[in-house]
Amino acid sequence: MSTAMNDVMIEAEGLTKSYGKPGARVRVLDGVDLRVARAGIHALLGPNGAGKTTTVRILATLITADSGTALVAGHDVVTDRRRVRRAISLTGQFAAVDETLTGEENLRMMARLSGLSRARARERAEELLLRFGLGDAARRQARTYSGGMRRRLDLAAGLVGSPEPGVFFLDEPTTGLDPRSRRELWQVVRDLAGRGAAVLLTTQYLEEADRLADRITVLDKGAIVAEGTPETLKSRVSGHRLDLVLSTDEAYLRLAARAVHHSPETRTLGIPTDGTAAHARALLDEIDPHRTDVDRFSVHGATLDDVFLALTTATTEAPAHV
């Protein structure tokens, strides 16, 4: 692997990882390549078990890959773990703060553990509390914080002793948050990237990746199946989609194979289209020449849901009553 360039903060090649006993090992990563730029947000998408968290844990030096190489902030994740850990912040699905301490006490404790003097720890805590919108709650116990506030405190704690802008690993950071708290955290993440940080985000929320990410990597069964900007990925599954509500189960099953979106409960299928009226009419004439199979239809722009469903492994389901 070449030395990471100044604008590349994460560079991984050929990462593999398997778990299990000899003779019954399951490969969860199968040759993953990844590059994450400075001052950007890169999202990892994929179904449960696709390898997203395993990738993050390898890059954050929590586990070791079976093969492959990776540099984070220019440091090898195997031979230079200490420097990697000084350059990164890792936030998991649950905020890692002491709820019996105040917000200020949490940050001062983390600063002291990072080697800062008492005076500098106090200054750093004050800086971060103000920056993350927690100044008014600084002397309240963390147990009184909302979920979004605890998340912001968790992110602030990760910055206490790390040189900025650094690298942020956010592993499903908005799990369990209400919509308002999610949006507040999104702004914090944007601010981190705006200050020059490289952010690697895993999420189950496709809207989150669409709103935040500059680039997206789609994982399925431990392998990369697509990578690009959100708009590029949407164009891969067609710029628009013709949603059809079918009148019978037989019509649904007959057309399911050509659809990029399936909703068996409502007998709805999404068919790629270029979005023009002419193409929509032509598709309807082709699909339902006798005008008996389609009850209703609508045309809308492709979403990351379409990308996710089209590019990752899924079983095409028949309606529940078939």
Side-chain angles (χ1 to χ4, degrees), residues 207-255:
E207 179 195 10
E208 187 163 273
D210 203 1
R211 293 282 191 94
L212 290 179
D214 306 303
R215 294 189 66 80
I216 295 172
T217 294
V218 183
L219 286 174
D220 191 32
K221 293 184 176 179
I224 293 176
V225 294
E227 184 173 341
T229 66
E231 292 306 317
T232 299
L233 293 180
K234 291 174 194 176
S235 69
R236 284 190 56 171
V237 296
S238 180
H240 292 79
R241 199 177 76 194
L242 177 67
D243 276 2
L244 309 173
V245 179
L246 285 307
S247 59
T248 66
D249 296 339
E250 290 74 19
Y252 179 95
L253 292 173
R254 176 172 58 83
L255 296 169

Side-chain angles (χ1 to χ4, degrees), residues 7-307:
D7 61 343
V8 178
M9 295 295 281
I10 299 173
E11 187 176 14
E13 291 184 5
L15 296 180
T16 69
K17 185 68 178 179
S18 298
Y19 292 105
K21 298 178 181 180
R25 292 178 67 78
V26 176
R27 177 162 285 198
V28 295
L29 286 187
D30 190 13
V32 168
D33 299 336
L34 189 66
R35 289 168 66 88
V36 179
R38 184 189 301 274
I41 302 171
H42 195 121
L44 285 182
L45 286 183
N48 289 333
K52 304 184 300 295
T53 296
T54 298
T55 301
V56 168
R57 294 182 71 193
I58 288 171
L59 295 173
T61 75
L62 298 178
I63 60 175
T64 304
D66 295 335
S67 63
T69 55
L71 297 176
V72 174
H75 310 300
D76 190 282
V77 298
V78 175
T79 62
D80 210 351
R81 290 187 180 186
R82 181 172 297 181
R83 289 189 176 181
V84 170
R85 290 175 178 176
R86 287 176 178 171
I88 69 173
S89 173
L90 172 62
T91 298
Q93 296 181 29
F94 304 99
V97 298
D98 188 330
E99 296 195 343
T100 66
L101 301 179
T102 67
E104 182 181 28
E105 288 168 343
N106 266 284
L107 296 190
R108 288 172 63 180
M109 177 183 68
M110 293 300 297
R112 292 290 287 154
L113 290 173
S114 299
L116 301 186
S117 67
R118 288 183 184 276
R120 180 56 185 144
R122 186 181 303 109
E123 292 173 359
R124 186 63 171 150
E126 290 175 359
E127 291 170 5
L128 291 171
L129 286 165
L130 291 174
R131 175 171 159 189
F132 283 81
L134 296 170
D136 292 340
R139 290 181 170 81
R140 282 169 43 194
Q141 285 185 313
R143 70 174 62 184
T144 69
Y145 286 13
S146 67
M149 292 170 70
R150 284 195 296 270
R151 274 294 184 201
R152 281 183 272 150
L153 182 61
D154 199 20
L155 286 171
L159 270 177
V160 165
S162 300
E164 296 188 54
V167 178
F168 279 78
F169 295 107
L170 306 181
D171 191 14
E172 300 188 25
T174 61
T175 297
L177 297 185
D178 61 77
R180 182 184 299 276
S181 295
R182 285 177 61 202
R183 282 167 173 75
E184 289 174 354
L185 194 65
W186 289 352
Q187 188 55 54
V188 171
V189 174
R190 292 189 188 101
D191 290 344
L192 290 173
R195 289 171 175 263
V199 179
L200 181 61
L201 167 77
T202 75
T203 180
Q204 292 290 338
Y205 299 115
L206 301 181
E207 179 195 10
E208 187 163 273
D210 203 1
R211 293 282 191 94
L212 290 179
D214 306 303
R215 294 189 66 80
I216 295 172
T217 294
V218 183
L219 286 174
D220 191 32
K221 293 184 176 179
I224 293 176
V225 294
E227 184 173 341
T229 66
E231 292 306 317
T232 299
L233 293 180
K234 291 174 194 176
S235 69
R236 284 190 56 171
V237 296
S238 180
H240 292 79
R241 199 177 76 194
L242 177 67
D243 276 2
L244 309 173
V245 179
L246 285 307
S247 59
T248 66
D249 296 339
E250 290 74 19
Y252 179 95
L253 292 173
R254 176 172 58 83
L255 296 169
R258 65 184 295 178
V260 296
H261 171 75
H262 303 80
S263 180
E265 298 81 5
T266 60
R267 290 202 197 100
T268 301
L269 295 174
I271 309 294
T273 177
D274 64 10
T276 64
H279 192 230
R281 290 193 195 98
L283 280 173
L284 287 168
D285 288 341
E286 174 195 348
I287 288 168
D288 189 15
H290 303 296
R291 301 187 179 184
T292 58
D293 290 339
V294 176
D295 281 346
R296 298 184 303 279
F297 70 90
S298 60
V299 178
H300 62 82
T303 68
L304 280 184
D305 295 66
D306 303 321
V307 174

